Amino acid sequence: MTETASTPIAGGKIESHRHSPKRLMLVGGGILVLLALIAIAAPLIAPHDPEAVEVHRVLGAPSLQHPFGSDVLGRDVLSRVIYALRASLMVSVSAVLASLILAVPLGLAAGYFGRWVDSTISRTLDLILVFPAMLLAVTFIAILGPGSVIAAIAIAVIYLPILARVMRTSTLIVSRNDYIAGSRARGASHLRVLATHVAPNAFGPVIVQASVLSAFALQLEAGLSFLGLGTQPPTPSLGGMLADGREVLIQAPWVEIFPGLAIVVAVLGFTFLGEGLRRAFDPRGVAE
Amino acid sequence: MSRQLGFIVRRLLLTIPMLFVMSIVVFLIIRLVPGDPVRTMLGFRATDANVAELRHRLGLDQSLLDQYLSWAGALLRGDLGKDIVSHASLAQLLAQRLPVTFELTGLSMLLAVLVGVPLGVRAATGGRWIRRLTEGFVVIGISVPDFWLGIVLVLIFAGTLMILPPSGYVPFATDPVGNLRYMVLPVLTLATGEAAYILRTTRGALGSVMSRPFITFLRAKGISPRRIVFGHALRNAGPSIVTVIGIQVGVLLGGAIIIETMFALPGVGRLVVTGINQRNYPTVQVGILAIATIFIVVSLITDLIVAWLDPRVADGAGT
Amino acid sequence: MSAVLSMRNVGVSFRTADAAQPAPAVDGVSLDIHRGEIFGIVGESGSGKSTLANAVMGLLPPNALVSGSIRVNDREVVGLSDDALRSMRGDEVSMIFQDPTASLDPTWPVGDQIAETIRAHYPVNARDAKARAIALMGEVGIADAAARYGDVPHRFSGGQRQRIVIAAALANNPQLLVADEPTTALDVTIQAQVLQLIDRLRRDHGTTVLLITHDLGVVSMVSDRVGVMYGGRLLETAATRELFANPSHPYTRALLAANPAGAPRGTRLPVIPAAWNIESLREAELLRAAAGAVND
């Protein structure tokens, strides 16, 4: 959430930067690019058909043939994890992107025009925050029924107020700069000022926030799918795999361990990327 | 003191529109279901007479405003309706389920605060190695999804060591020790991530307070470092920490939906999930209403504590 | 007349991460300040005057290297343990800072902030400490002190806050008060009142005052003697009247001529960050605090 400037001076000691922003971004971005490539190339690299049921392989332990073992129905866990990345990344990334597309103009307008525009937008979006995020997602799904598209929409709605607020704050700060007033005084239209001066300079924090939220979106999607409310079988999803293996957890832990690890790695990717971006593009700590 | 009182009154009044908006959303759940919610609930075998009967019983044949007024009126009288599957009174059902959710989230938050705040203080004021250790804990705590942590904990404590049950529940009143044994793993699961958040918040808030000039003036007065940290810095960091704790209660309540399902705890979260799967809308509504109400009340309490900790809030002088 | 504060060849430099050769912030300063005297040190920002003040208090960050000798009441301060420094601070020596608003804990009643200075050094019970704090508040000119003891700082004006800061700093009757730009953050009219208060208190209690400022007007108003600092060095010291009438060092002459801040050509000092920059930083912090934070 808030960690001001990331250099807390504790009792006069100056925190040394062990992780440079560049390295964090590279590690995070590298993990994500790798996972995305795996997801895209799933049909090419998955060793087995993720749907292929093999009765004699039910709950088979990891082996050379099946490095992650096989599940309750004898399906290859590795192949399923590879395919499941598709749903998990797709839902979380598209949800955050959709949220971003709505939040940026709303935040820009609220921060730039202020007054009633600001209070209308901000107060309305605040209403969304009356519900805890997970509960709102569940409420959404209660209405519209389970599914990955619905889960993505729910996640997008949940993050709308957060992203819009970050955009609003950074717009507010950028708008205070003298050159903004200057270009208005020289007769530039609001739209032109927003597009050429405000938006490009106010983008940093919201991108940082989007990256951080992607990590949460991924967990949220997995949680919903775990409850059977997100991505529906037979499409493999990481959360769904965790739900399937719950009954056999103690006999066949590999059914749970590997999909879980995939989530952890993806979340770490977004977290590192977000933290690196934060240090590089959000020195004022606007993003939460 | 009167300014404080004014703030309390204003904040209490603010709760009313929040509850109102929330009640409308919950009210609309059943009305927004695409198609005919009653038919969806009853399934394909229902006769037209059954459908009409349930529609009437749920008041869906009236105007939207009338429906809301009678629904909200019944709520205020404590009449939460009936579960359409078991026909049990939802008020009674809720009374059974709420204590489980309260116990789970309450114990989790307690543990998270007891671990997160002291470690956060050490992280903000301690040496290099404690900062690194706590940073590692924060990264792990935030990146590991709680349900996967739950799985790992079950594997360790129930699978390998066999010292705790993997899932299940007995009421505290029936068997206190058994109840706590069932609670250990779910609570650990929920509390770890929360502790990491609270640690990070405490560290950040305390760190920024420690670099403020009044800390230098305290040192210039010869006040001991202990007193500076615990008497002054923590008091100033308090509002940020309490605010985050309040927000994280919402996260915990959301997490409880997953964790209750995972550990077979009969709480409100599990009630909602089962309700959704059975298209049991009245029960889903009551469950969501209960969780959202808890969250709104916790936000209220949080704001009041923040105002008490930081007198400027109540004075409206900004934070 | 013995010196309350005596410095001999004091140097301060800061170790940095890139460790090349630490540039001295203070270099070879020697100075004696006598009992009951107000000694003003003038200089621009970056001249090392605040570093010198913090060195006297033992308040420098851990990466600071102090050389030479600083004696307060004949006790060596350089190299003193943290505990010994702490028991000295707020008792024998005290310090007040530029911004009275930032100097007080915003969440504590002001009276308690005065009383805690007393209780940090003497085994006084809470009631007596409170009585003494109320007396001090009265002495520095807070009207209706007993009633206002429990008020938090933001209920006071800037000038009143600085009076409270002074009361907290002088609670134990220290022999030496280091005042680092004590009036810079205040309105011009309030500045004079606070300076008069400092002047009155040193007359009443015999306190020695080391007054650090960039403002020649402040120095001329209350100082008995003045030292001029530039680039970490003490260029000259003289009685205030004499310095203004007959400055001996060329820099001092330039300073007096090009008041308020005129450095000789070719000796540019580090640029001060633009004020708006600091303000917008603070703004971001405020906005964030006001907005709260929601993540899941």
Side-chain angles (χ1 to χ4, degrees), chain A residues 158-172:
Chain A
I158 290 165
Y159 291 153
L160 191 55
I162 301 172
L163 289 171
R165 191 166 58 196
V166 170
M167 192 67 202
R168 171 187 174 271
T169 307
S170 60
T171 303
L172 211 59

Side-chain angles (χ1 to χ4, degrees), chain A residues 130-227:
Chain A
V130 169
F131 281 79
M134 184 73 193
L135 188 69
L136 192 62
V138 167
T139 306
F140 238 84
I141 288 160
I143 298 170
L144 296 174
S148 41
V149 177
I150 308 296
I153 294 174
I155 295 170
V157 171
I158 290 165
Y159 291 153
L160 191 55
I162 301 172
L163 289 171
R165 191 166 58 196
V166 170
M167 192 67 202
R168 171 187 174 271
T169 307
S170 60
T171 303
L172 211 59
I173 292 167
V174 172
S175 302
R176 293 284 159 85
N177 286 346
D178 292 337
Y179 64 82
I180 301 296
S183 47
R184 274 295 292 159
R186 284 194 300 277
S189 71
H190 280 306
L191 206 63
R192 197 183 152 72
V193 173
L194 272 172
T196 57
H197 295 298
V198 180
N201 290 304
F203 254 135
V206 82
I207 296 299
V208 172
Q209 187 70 59
S211 176
V212 172
L213 286 184
S214 298
F216 293 107
L218 204 95
Q219 294 191 45
L220 211 54
E221 191 279 333
L224 289 172
S225 299
F226 176 79
L227 293 175

Side-chain angles (χ1 to χ4, degrees), chain A residues 1-2 4 133-134 159 162 165 169 173 176-177 209 213 216 284-285 288, chain C residues 61-63 276-277 280-281 283-285 287-288 291-296:
Chain A
M1 243 148 274
T2 49
T4 322
M134 184 73 193
Y159 291 153
I162 301 172
R165 191 166 58 196
T169 307
I173 292 167
R176 293 284 159 85
N177 286 346
Q209 187 70 59
L213 286 184
F216 293 107
R284 291 167 181 179
E288 289 158 4
Chain C
N63 65 333
W276 69 261
N277 214 351
S280 56
L281 255 173
E283 189 175 68
E285 197 177 83
L287 288 166
R288 208 178 42 246
V294 176
N295 264 338
D296 189 351

Side-chain angles (χ1 to χ4, degrees), chain B:
Chain B
M1 220 51 225
S2 64
R3 275 183 271 207
Q4 295 275 46
L5 199 70
F7 175 81
I8 292 171
V9 171
R10 262 180 293 135
R11 185 60 186 80
L12 277 170
L13 288 177
L14 185 66
T15 309
I16 294 171
M18 286 170 80
L19 286 169
F20 178 66
V21 168
M22 186 270 290
S23 76
I24 286 191
V25 173
V26 171
F27 165 76
L28 286 176
I29 289 176
I30 191 166
R31 276 89 191 162
L32 289 175
V33 172
D36 183 346
V38 178
R39 219 167 253 294
T40 315
M41 273 190 268
L42 292 176
F44 295 111
R45 279 172 300 158
T47 63
D48 285 351
N50 287 149
V51 171
E53 194 270 331
L54 182 61
R55 177 170 296 138
H56 178 70
R57 188 147 57 82
L58 294 173
L60 294 177
D61 47 2
Q62 299 164 10
S63 82
L64 215 54
L65 182 67
D66 285 345
Q67 287 182 41
Y68 177 74
L69 289 178
S70 63
W71 178 77
L75 276 187
L76 291 176
R77 286 192 306 273
D79 174 10
L80 304 183
K82 281 196 165 66
D83 184 295
I84 59 161
V85 176
S86 67
H87 301 288
S89 147
L90 283 173
Q92 275 175 13
L93 201 55
L94 202 59
Q96 289 166 6
R97 299 298 189 103
L98 269 179
V100 182
T101 302
F102 276 135
E103 185 182 358
L104 174 64
T105 50
L107 286 178
S108 302
M109 191 45 97
L110 185 70
L111 181 63
V113 170
L114 288 180
V115 171
V117 172
L119 281 182
V121 171
R122 297 283 295 134
T125 57
R128 177 180 302 205
W129 69 270
I130 183 100
R131 286 207 305 272
R132 287 192 178 179
L133 270 181
T134 50
E135 182 60 33
F137 176 65
V138 166
V139 170
I140 293 169
I142 288 173
S143 301
V144 175
D146 44 14
F147 48 94
W148 192 64
L149 178 68
I151 287 164
V152 173
L153 289 177
V154 168
L155 269 180
I156 296 171
F157 290 99
T160 311
L161 302 175
M162 294 196 279
I163 49 173
L164 289 167
S167 67
Y169 177 78
V170 286
F172 187 81
T174 317
D175 175 5
V177 177
N179 170 282
L180 291 177
R181 279 171 53 83
Y182 277 119
M183 279 291 173
V184 171
L185 292 182
V187 165
L188 272 181
T189 304
L190 270 182
T192 305
E194 288 314 305
Y197 265 109
I198 292 170
L199 194 169
R200 197 172 78 163
T201 306
T202 308
R203 182 186 63 191
L206 204 64
S208 79
V209 171
M210 288 302 286
S211 62
R212 280 167 58 182
F214 79 82
I215 298 293
T216 313
F217 185 54
L218 286 167
R219 294 178 63 213
K221 291 196 295 185
I223 309 299
S224 73
R226 242 190 111 72
R227 195 178 163 83
I228 291 179
V229 169
F230 291 99
H232 291 274
L234 205 53
R235 168 85 196 258
N236 277 271
S240 317
I241 299 170
V242 172
T243 303
V244 166
I245 290 175
I247 291 164
Q248 291 301 109
V249 167
V251 177
L252 264 183
L253 288 167
I257 299 176
I258 295 175
I259 298 307
E260 284 172 4
T261 305
M262 175 166 187
F263 287 95
L265 293 173
V268 183
R270 191 155 159 239
L271 186 73
V272 171
V273 173
T274 333
I276 291 175
N277 288 329
Q278 295 176 339
R279 305 264 175 262
N280 190 349
Y281 294 114
T283 305
V284 172
Q285 281 180 305
V286 163
I288 290 173
L289 188 78
I291 299 176
T293 307
I294 297 171
F295 184 53
I296 289 174
V297 171
V298 168
S299 313
L300 170 71
I301 296 171
T302 307
D303 283 359
L304 294 181
I305 295 177
V306 167
W308 173 66
L309 283 175
D310 187 346
R312 287 170 303 173
V313 172
D315 280 8
T319 36

Side-chain angles (χ1 to χ4, degrees), chain A residues 109-135:
Chain A
Y112 181 77
F113 294 108
R115 304 207 236 188
W116 65 268
V117 179
D118 181 19
S119 47
T120 309
I121 293 174
S122 300
R123 289 296 85 73
T124 310
L125 291 179
D126 277 353
L127 293 180
I128 296 175
L129 296 173
V130 169
F131 281 79
M134 184 73 193
L135 188 69

Side-chain angles (χ1 to χ4, degrees), chain A:
Chain A
M1 243 148 274
T2 49
E3 198 187 85
T4 322
S6 78
T7 36
I9 298 167
K13 294 184 205 79
I14 294 155
E15 184 102 61
S16 66
H17 277 254
R18 199 157 48 90
H19 307 295
S20 69
K22 218 174 181 173
R23 219 165 72 197
L24 275 171
M25 276 191 284
L26 279 178
V27 172
I31 292 173
L32 293 174
V33 167
L34 192 69
L35 291 179
L37 284 178
I38 290 174
I40 292 166
L44 300 177
I45 52 175
H48 301 270
D49 178 357
E51 310 297 336
V53 175
E54 283 185 64
V55 184
H56 67 282
R57 286 282 316 159
V58 165
L59 298 183
S63 63
L64 274 179
Q65 273 254 300
H66 302 270
F68 289 3
S70 44
D71 72 1
V72 198
L73 298 175
R75 294 172 298 191
D76 179 51
V77 173
L78 173 60
S79 306
R80 286 184 68 74
V81 167
I82 289 172
Y83 272 90
L85 277 173
R86 293 183 140 186
S88 297
L89 289 176
M90 200 52 201
V91 170
S92 49
V93 171
S94 59
V96 172
L97 277 181
S99 200
L100 204 56
I101 287 169
L102 286 174
V104 165
L106 286 172
L108 264 177
Y112 181 77
F113 294 108
R115 304 207 236 188
W116 65 268
V117 179
D118 181 19
S119 47
T120 309
I121 293 174
S122 300
R123 289 296 85 73
T124 310
L125 291 179
D126 277 353
L127 293 180
I128 296 175
L129 296 173
V130 169
F131 281 79
M134 184 73 193
L135 188 69
L136 192 62
V138 167
T139 306
F140 238 84
I141 288 160
I143 298 170
L144 296 174
S148 41
V149 177
I150 308 296
I153 294 174
I155 295 170
V157 171
I158 290 165
Y159 291 153
L160 191 55
I162 301 172
L163 289 171
R165 191 166 58 196
V166 170
M167 192 67 202
R168 171 187 174 271
T169 307
S170 60
T171 303
L172 211 59
I173 292 167
V174 172
S175 302
R176 293 284 159 85
N177 286 346
D178 292 337
Y179 64 82
I180 301 296
S183 47
R184 274 295 292 159
R186 284 194 300 277
S189 71
H190 280 306
L191 206 63
R192 197 183 152 72
V193 173
L194 272 172
T196 57
H197 295 298
V198 180
N201 290 304
F203 254 135
V206 82
I207 296 299
V208 172
Q209 187 70 59
S211 176
V212 172
L213 286 184
S214 298
F216 293 107
L218 204 95
Q219 294 191 45
L220 211 54
E221 191 279 333
L224 289 172
S225 299
F226 176 79
L227 293 175
L229 304 177
T231 307
Q232 296 296 299
T235 308
S237 70
L238 296 171
M241 292 179 74
L242 290 180
D244 291 343
R246 197 160 36 124
E247 301 300 324
V248 294
L249 168 61
I250 289 168
Q251 305 147 255
W254 51 87
V255 178
E256 297 281 277
I257 296 279
F258 294 111
L261 270 180
I263 298 174
V264 173
V265 170
V267 169
L268 275 177
F270 281 118
T271 307
F272 284 167
L273 183 68
E275 206 50 44
L277 289 171
R278 185 200 297 277
R279 291 183 190 174
F281 298 114
D282 186 20
R284 291 167 181 179
V286 174
E288 289 158 4

